Amino acid sequence: MNIKPLGDRVVIKKLEAEEKTKSGIVLPNTAKEKPQMAEVVAVGPTIANDEKKKEEIKVGDRVIFSKFAGTEVKLDGEEYTILKLNDILAVVE
Amino acid sequence: MNIKPLGDRVVIKKLEAEEKTKSGIVLPNTAKEKPQMAEVVAVGPTIANDEKKKEEIKVGDRVIFSKFAGTEVKLDGEEYTILKLNDILAVVE
Amino acid sequence: MNIKPLGDRVVIKKLEAEEKTKSGIVLPNTAKEKPQMAEVVAVGPTIANDEKKKEEIKVGDRVIFSKFAGTEVKLDGEEYTILKLNDILAVVE
Amino acid sequence: MNIKPLGDRVVIKKLEAEEKTKSGIVLPNTAKEKPQMAEVVAVGPTIANDEKKKEEIKVGDRVIFSKFAGTEVKLDGEEYTILKLNDILAVVE
Amino acid sequence: MNIKPLGDRVVIKKLEAEEKTKSGIVLPNTAKEKPQMAEVVAVGPTIANDEKKKEEIKVGDRVIFSKFAGTEVKLDGEEYTILKLNDILAVVE
Amino acid sequence: MNIKPLGDRVVIKKLEAEEKTKSGIVLPNTAKEKPQMAEVVAVGPTIANDEKKKEEIKVGDRVIFSKFAGTEVKLDGEEYTILKLNDILAVVE
Amino acid sequence: MNIKPLGDRVVIKKLEAEEKTKSGIVLPNTAKEKPQMAEVVAVGPTIANDEKKKEEIKVGDRVIFSKFAGTEVKLDGEEYTILKLNDILAVVE
C-alpha cells in the first residue's frame, strides 16, 4: 500500500527516542512546542515538481518538525504523520 | 440524480470500518482531529480543469481527509460529504 | 419587480421539504451546519461575465448551500436568500 | 452642500417603511442581520471610474444592504449612510 | 514647524461643533462609531504621488472620518489627528 | 558598535520630555495609544534601497511613532527602540 | 552533524550573558517581549539564494531577535534556536 500526500504536504515517520540519541539529537522536555525528529516517507507533488523545494527536502531525509502539526494515521500497522512542508523546520544530516 | 460540486470542492463517500480494515488502514481513536478514509465520488471544475490538480485526485480514489471538514448531505438515500480539496490530506493506493 | 444581486452574489429561493423529498434529497437533522436545497433565481454580474463560473451555475439550477449563509429578503410576498457564490456547495441534477 | 464618498464607498438614503411597502418589499423582523432598502445618493470614484462596477450600481438605484454596515451622518438635516460597495447586496428594479 | 505624515496617512484638524453647525452638518450622539468632521492639514506621499488618490482628497478639504481611528498629537499648541486615508469616509463640499 | 535593522525596520532613540517641549510638541496623557517623539538612528535596507521610502524617512529625522510598537534594546549604555516603518506615523520638521 | 533550516528560517546559538556584556549590550529585564542576542549558525536556502537577503544576514553575524520566537533544539549536546528571518530584528557589528 502506498500513501501519496496532496499539494505541499509531507508524510513522515517519527524516529524512536533511542534512534534520536544515536543520531546525537536530544530534544528538551520543557519546550512549549516540542520539536520532534522524523524521517520523510513521501512528499506531495507541489514539492516534487518545484526545482527549489525538492532540493530542500526529499524522501529519506531526517527532519525536525513542530510537534503539534499534522495529522496522524496508521497504515498497514505503521504510524505516520501527514503535515505541511511549512511545519518542517530543518533537515539534519 | 447527479451531484456536481462547485469550485475546488470534492464529493466523497465515507468507507465503512470493515472496508478500512480490509484495505489495511486503521485510524487511531485518540487523535484530536481524527482522519477518515473515503472514496471520491465527484470533483469540482477547478480541479477537473487544472492539469496538475486532476493528476493528484480523481473519481474513485481512496483518500484520507480531516474528520471535521465539509458538509454532509443525503442524496437518494446515500450519505455524502462535500469538502474543499484542501481538506483532503492524501490519496492511498 | 426584479432583483439583481451585486458582484459574485446569487439570489436563491428555498425549496419546500416536500419538493426536496420528491427530488430524492433528504437532509440530516443533526448536522451542525445543515445544508439546504434551493433554486437559483438570479446570479450577479461577476458570475454572468465569467466564462468558467457561468458554466458552473445558472438560473434554474437546483443547489445545495450552507444554511447559515446569506441574507433573507421578502420581495412581492416571496422569500429569497442572497448569498455569495462561495456559499453554494454543489448543483444537483 | 455636496457629499463625495471616498474609494469604493456609497452614500445611501434609507427608504421609509411606507415606501418599501409601496414598492412591494417587506423585510422580516426576525432576521439576525436585517436587510434594508435605500436609494443611492452618491458613489465613490473607484466605482464611477470602473466600467464594470458603474454598470452594477448608480445614483438613484434602489438597493438592499446589510443593516449593520456603514456609518450614519446627518447633512443639512437629512440622514445618510456611508458604506462600502461590498455591503450592498442587490439592486431592485 | 511642519508635520509630514508617512505613507497613506493624513493629518487632520477637527472642526469645532459650532463650525459643524454652520456648515450644516449635525452628527448623531447615539451612533456607535460616531463620525466626525475635520479639515485636512497634510497628506502623505502615497496619496500625493497617486494621480487618482490626490484627486479624491487634498489639503483644505472638509472630511468625515471614523471617530476612533487615528492618533492624536499636540503640535505647537494645536491638536491634530493622524490617520490612514482608509479611515476617511467622505469629502463634504 | 553599530546596529543595523533588518528589512523595513527602523532604529530610533526617544527624545526626552524637555527636548519635546523645546521642539514645541506636547503629547497628551490621556490618549489610549500615546504617540511619542524620537530621532531616527538607522533604517533597514528595504527602506534605504527604495527610492520612495528613503525620501520619506532618513537618519536624523524627528518622528512621531506609536508608543506600544517595537522592541527596546540597550546598546553601549544607550536605549534604542527597533520598530517597523509602518509604526512611524509622521516626520516633524 | 549538520542542521539545514528550511525556507526563510535561520538557526542561531544564543550568546551567554557575559558575552553580551563584553559586547556592550545589556538587555532590559522588564521588557514584555525581551530581545536576545545570538550568533547565526545557518541560514535557509530562501535567504542564501536571495541577493538582497543574503547581504542582510549571514553565518557568524551577531543578531538581536524576539525572545519568544522560534523553536529550541539540542543537537550533539549544543542548544540551538530555529526561527524565521522575520523574527530577527537587527544585526550588531
Side-chain angles (χ1 to χ4, degrees), chain A residues 24-40:
Chain A
I25 285 198
V26 183
L27 301 164
N29 292 321
T30 57
K32 210 169 142 199
E33 182 186 351
K34 270 198 287 181
Q36 302 226 356
M37 200 166 175
E39 189 176 321
V40 175

Side-chain angles (χ1 to χ4, degrees), chain A residues 1-2 4 7 9 74 76, chain B residues 23-24 26 56 86 91 93:
Chain A
M1 190 176 304
N2 192 18
K4 302 196 308 185
R9 286 188 183 84
K74 198 179 266 193
D76 290 340
Chain B
S23 68
V26 183
E56 286 193 59
N86 196 36
V91 171
E93 295 180 334

Side-chain angles (χ1 to χ4, degrees), chain A residues 1-11 44-46 49 70-79 82-84, chain B residues 22-28 31 33-35 37 52 55-57 63-64 66 85-93:
Chain A
M1 190 176 304
N2 192 18
I3 183 165
K4 302 196 308 185
L6 296 194
D8 65 343
R9 286 188 183 84
V10 176
V11 181
T46 302
N49 297 328
T71 304
E72 302 191 345
V73 299
K74 198 179 266 193
L75 192 66
D76 290 340
E78 298 274 346
E79 277 187 18
I82 306 174
L83 37 57
K84 298 258 187 177
Chain B
K22 273 189 294 178
S23 68
I25 285 199
V26 183
L27 300 165
E33 182 185 350
K34 270 198 288 180
M37 199 164 175
K52 283 179 181 166
E55 274 181 37
E56 286 193 59
I57 192 169
V63 296
I64 297 171
S66 296
L85 173 59
N86 196 36
D87 289 318
I88 296 184
L89 307 176
V91 171
V92 179
E93 295 180 334

Side-chain angles (χ1 to χ4, degrees), chain C residues 38-58:
Chain C
E39 188 176 322
V40 175
V41 171
V43 300
T46 301
I47 300 165
N49 297 329
D50 183 302
E51 287 304 313
K52 284 179 181 167
K53 282 180 183 163
K54 79 179 185 191
E55 274 181 35
E56 286 192 58
I57 193 169
K58 59 183 186 300

Side-chain angles (χ1 to χ4, degrees), chain D residues 39-81:
Chain D
E39 189 175 321
V40 175
V41 172
V43 301
T46 302
I47 300 164
N49 298 328
D50 183 302
E51 286 304 313
K52 284 179 180 166
K53 282 180 182 163
K54 78 181 185 189
E55 274 181 34
E56 286 193 57
I57 193 169
K58 59 183 187 301
V59 172
D61 278 355
R62 294 204 159 194
V63 296
I64 296 171
F65 65 100
S66 296
K67 185 188 179 182
F68 297 116
T71 305
E72 302 192 344
V73 299
K74 199 178 264 191
L75 192 67
D76 289 342
E78 298 274 347
E79 278 187 18
Y80 299 96
T81 300

Side-chain angles (χ1 to χ4, degrees), chain G residues 15-65:
Chain G
L15 296 178
E16 296 306 316
E18 51 268 42
E19 295 183 75
K20 277 184 264 185
T21 305
K22 273 189 295 178
S23 67
I25 285 199
V26 182
L27 301 164
N29 292 322
T30 57
K32 210 168 142 200
E33 181 186 351
K34 270 197 287 181
Q36 302 226 356
M37 199 165 175
E39 189 176 321
V40 175
V41 171
V43 300
T46 302
I47 300 164
N49 297 329
D50 183 303
E51 286 304 313
K52 283 179 181 166
K53 283 181 183 163
K54 79 180 184 191
E55 274 181 37
E56 285 193 59
I57 193 169
K58 60 182 187 302
V59 173
D61 278 355
R62 293 202 160 196
V63 296
I64 296 171
F65 65 99

